Amino acid sequence: MAAFMVVAMLSSLALLGLAAPASAHASLIGTTPRPDQVLAAEPADIVLSFSDTVDVKTATVQVLDPAGAALAIGLPAHLGADATTLQVTLPTGLATGTRTVLYRVVSNDGHPIQGSFRFSVGVATASATPGALVSDGGALGLYLGVARWVAFVGLALAVGTMLLVVLAWPEGLGVSAVRRLLWYGLGSLGLASVVSLLLYGPFVEGTGLSGMVSGLDIGLSTRVGRLLVLRLALIVLVVVGLLVWFRRSRGEAVRVSGTVPVVGTLAVGGVLALTWSLATHSADGGGKLVNLPVDLVHMMAMAAWLGGMPALLVLLLKVKDTEALTKAVPMFSRTATVCVIALVATGFLQAWRQVGSADALTSTSYGDWLMIKVALVVGILALGGFARWWATPRLVAAQAIPEGKISRRNVATARTEAVSAGSSRLGRVVAMETGLGALVLAVTATLVATQPAEAAHEAELAALSSASTNRALLTASPADATIGFRLAKVVDGQEPVAFSKALEVPPGASKGRGFVQAVVSPAFGGLPNELHVSVTDDQGRPLPVGTVLVSLRAVSGVEKSGQHPLSSTGQGHFFSAFTVPREGQWELAITVQDINGEAAMVVVPFEAHVSAT
């Protein structure tokens, strides 16, 4: 059994090693100027929009000219009160050519993201080859993952041990092995939190282990760093309180029971767990009043269930107190049932919030780790079911052996031997549950550091959309136009208001205003072509629309097609394959309609050439 526990612990570390370095939970969803856009005049600033709030204090933005020299730009700032944006001002008098923008930001849940894009002024030219602003911090990400797992184990061990004692084993703290479990839990939680605090600053800055001292200020300035300090302060208070209590109880039988210890344990454990929840997506957005309690209940149920197993093992395999066993085992079984129900309910809510679709579940790393976690939990439930419906009843029945049923042997001795045999069988089952629980905590630590499935899936679709558009831009001599529009109610029997001026911003409020970027490639007459349409708002973010319809008509001639819907590939990108009947001047009439019935028509002129082949 000890070998099984060692294998489980090593497997947990292996899982953390196999996991990718912590992925960003925020992703870039739009820029102004847009990637690869050619502007007629130099912009006054650059705006980056992200899918989640970002920390402006740790943000870095760099703009390179065509030769690779860094431009003197302003410090990053939020655009107004929008914490999901970054704005940097550009110097005036820039020469024409292509600029490269590099960025590195940290989302409010503590995960960094970096990347680059290009835009041009006047004409597209050769550009600097973008590199990462800093290293990706992969080794630090692994170290932080291990520290996160140790902290999870420590929280579960401390909370689970105390709950088992106050609920089912009042004399448990009088056993030195149980007190050691409590100290191990608090000690590992504190040590892991200190290590996390020291590593988090250089992880954010990407400076490596050499930046631990200099990066401490950066770490303390973030929400994650401040919560780690709060956690350490709480741990110190708990440790001091326990030391004072144990010192005053020296020489006396330590017995803990009643409502007050139960409420106190849940309260202290809840506050410690809250230092995790407040650093995640649960603390952001309009749903935090629901998401925070769900996250907190999930963590506490995990701690009470998995963390109580080692203390139960001590009782089963080392102490073997017959009376304590017959009380503690059924109580822990009932407590575990309640915890499992809470875990399933809150886990379903969290999965629904973080995954969003079956495609996201099956095509992302988050989905893979989530399915591994579910499989491990199912394994623990199977072992727990075996323990509850087979081993536990036999253990309780052994204590109730009636007199007269056993001959040639003392009844008390028979009961003790039967309970001992039953506890050994149950102990082996609980040991296997504990080993699987360590793996569950390792997977949980990995999930916390992995981009949620829904966000990762949307980012993947956006990358595919961008890649397909870029492939079109590289083919032959494509036609490319960006035209602004404003949605409005459509009069029955009439076409929507038409817009056709390139790069003109429709006047008025930003509500209902957007841009269509249409790319026709290779723009050959008489051959198959591709149409890529991106629909964005003022900030370059995907604009939610219901349908996008397109029709083709000749500028000089009678050819005209009917309207056809474009296929959405996600993130405001639409696609269709079509054939231009002949060379010459043509127009695409692209109708954008939202779910409220408001619409606009964007007219995109282009010239179809004769293929050189």
Side-chain angles (χ1 to χ4, degrees), residues 340-389:
V340 167
I341 293 173
L343 279 169
V344 171
T346 56
F348 176 81
L349 290 173
Q350 288 179 319
W352 174 75
R353 178 169 60 92
Q354 301 282 23
V355 176
S357 68
D359 286 344
L361 178 65
T362 57
S363 63
T364 62
S365 296
Y366 189 96
D368 294 340
W369 286 113
L370 183 60
M371 288 188 285
I372 292 173
K373 180 179 178 179
V374 170
L376 289 171
V377 170
V378 169
I380 298 177
L381 289 177
L383 290 171
F386 173 79
R388 179 178 176 84
W389 285 287

Side-chain angles (χ1 to χ4, degrees), residues 223-574:
R223 182 171 69 177
V224 172
R226 292 191 294 270
L227 288 170
L228 284 169
V229 172
L230 174 60
R231 185 190 304 166
L232 287 168
L234 290 171
I235 293 170
V236 170
L237 289 176
V238 171
V239 169
V240 170
L242 287 173
L243 286 173
V244 171
W245 179 41
F246 288 155
R247 183 176 293 275
R248 289 181 178 178
S249 303
R250 184 177 297 176
E252 302 177 6
V254 180
R255 181 180 175 84
V256 186
S257 62
T259 303
V260 174
V262 173
V263 173
T265 301
L266 290 174
V268 172
V271 174
L272 287 171
L274 197 61
T275 60
W276 269 284
S277 299
L278 288 173
T280 65
H281 283 280
S282 300
D284 293 324
K288 61 184 177 183
L289 294 180
V290 174
N291 296 333
L292 266 178
V294 167
D295 196 58
L296 192 58
V297 170
H298 192 81
M299 287 197 67
M300 288 299 293
M302 173 205 69
W305 179 32
L306 301 181
M309 290 179 185
L312 185 63
L313 269 178
V314 171
L315 177 59
L316 287 168
L317 301 181
K318 187 171 184 178
V319 178
K320 297 184 179 180
D321 185 323
T322 303
E323 184 177 355
L325 277 171
T326 54
K327 292 179 180 178
V329 172
M331 174 60 76
F332 181 81
S333 181
R334 291 190 294 269
T335 302
T337 301
V338 173
C339 291
V340 167
I341 293 173
L343 279 169
V344 171
T346 56
F348 176 81
L349 290 173
Q350 288 179 319
W352 174 75
R353 178 169 60 92
Q354 301 282 23
V355 176
S357 68
D359 286 344
L361 178 65
T362 57
S363 63
T364 62
S365 296
Y366 189 96
D368 294 340
W369 286 113
L370 183 60
M371 288 188 285
I372 292 173
K373 180 179 178 179
V374 170
L376 289 171
V377 170
V378 169
I380 298 177
L381 289 177
L383 290 171
F386 173 79
R388 179 178 176 84
W389 285 287
W390 187 84
T392 301
R394 282 163 174 74
L395 181 64
V396 175
Q399 173 65 10
I401 295 176
E403 296 184 9
K405 289 292 182 78
I406 298 177
S407 58
R408 304 181 222 163
R409 187 175 297 182
N410 184 277
V411 172
T413 302
R415 289 174 178 171
T416 300
E417 292 178 354
V419 168
S420 178
S423 64
S424 297
R425 286 192 297 268
L426 183 58
R428 288 192 289 271
V429 176
V430 174
M432 288 188 285
E433 290 182 85
T434 304
L436 290 179
L439 295 175
V440 169
L441 293 177
V443 174
T444 301
T446 303
L447 278 172
V448 171
T450 304
Q451 188 174 24
E454 185 175 28
H457 187 54
E458 290 178 355
E460 182 181 355
L461 290 177
L464 291 174
S465 169
S466 175
S468 61
T469 302
N470 288 339
R471 285 196 297 272
L473 288 169
L474 294 172
T475 306
S477 300
D480 183 1
T482 300
I483 298 173
F485 65 86
R486 179 177 295 282
L487 297 171
K489 289 291 184 182
V490 180
V491 179
D492 291 341
Q494 296 185 13
E495 289 186 335
V497 176
F499 299 84
S500 59
K501 293 186 178 180
L503 299 176
E504 181 176 87
V505 179
S510 60
K511 183 178 181 181
R513 187 168 64 198
F515 292 86
V516 162
Q517 182 184 21
V519 178
V520 180
S521 177
F524 281 160
L527 292 175
N529 290 265
E530 290 184 351
L531 171 63
H532 294 267
V533 174
S534 296
V535 185
T536 60
D537 62 11
D538 281 357
Q539 304 300 321
R541 296 174 296 199
L543 185 68
V545 295
T547 57
V548 176
L549 306 172
V550 64
S551 62
L552 177 68
R553 57 198 181 198
V555 174
S556 300
V558 296
E559 296 101 325
K560 181 179 180 180
S561 73
Q563 282 191 321
H564 298 281
L566 298 182
S567 299
S568 173
T569 59
Q571 291 288 304
H573 178 262
F574 299 83

